[in-house]
Amino acid sequence: SIILMTAPIILPPLRAANFDIIWFGVVMTIVMEMGLIHPPVGLNIFVIRNVAPDIPLRDVIWGTLPFVLLMMLAVLLLCIFPGISTGLPDLVMGPDGR
């Protein structure tokens, strides 16, 4: 829902600055998911806590750490090599999107 609320505000300046919208969508999705599995917001952590109440919250939070680190690495790689996120769409639709 946060993407639906922020996309109409963020997209016009991104298009004006000639950002690749597909790249931005991939990065934004990864960053939003990172926010959902990591404190302080960590909504998914509390869902897991309610599904498995016998597991301490501390263990659930530490269990998300490898995923958060991998997502950080993915965002870093996407910033250094943006072609990773646009390679398949370019292959299917062509570089100009037609």
Side-chain angles (χ1 to χ4, degrees):
S1 63
I2 190 73
I3 294 173
L4 290 176
M5 292 188 310
T6 58
I9 299 168
I10 294 173
L11 284 180
L14 287 175
R15 285 193 176 135
N18 291 326
F19 271 84
D20 189 349
I21 302 302
I22 293 174
W23 172 83
F24 180 75
V26 171
V27 171
M28 185 175 180
T29 303
I30 293 171
V31 170
M32 291 295 165
E33 182 58 34
M34 196 181 332
L36 285 173
I37 68 168
H38 190 268
V41 177
L43 184 64
N44 291 352
I45 290 175
F46 298 110
V47 170
I48 295 296
R49 177 71 174 115
N50 288 332
V51 169
D54 54 321
I55 300 174
L57 186 60
R58 183 188 70 235
D59 291 344
V60 174
I61 292 172
W62 279 105
T64 63
L65 186 62
F67 298 101
V68 171
L69 294 175
L70 286 173
M71 286 182 193
M72 286 180 185
L73 178 66
V75 170
L76 181 68
L77 285 174
L78 286 171
C79 289
I80 295 171
F81 305 108
I84 295 172
S85 62
T86 59
L88 186 60
D90 287 346
L91 182 67
V92 173
M93 297 174 23
D96 60 353
R98 293 184 184 160

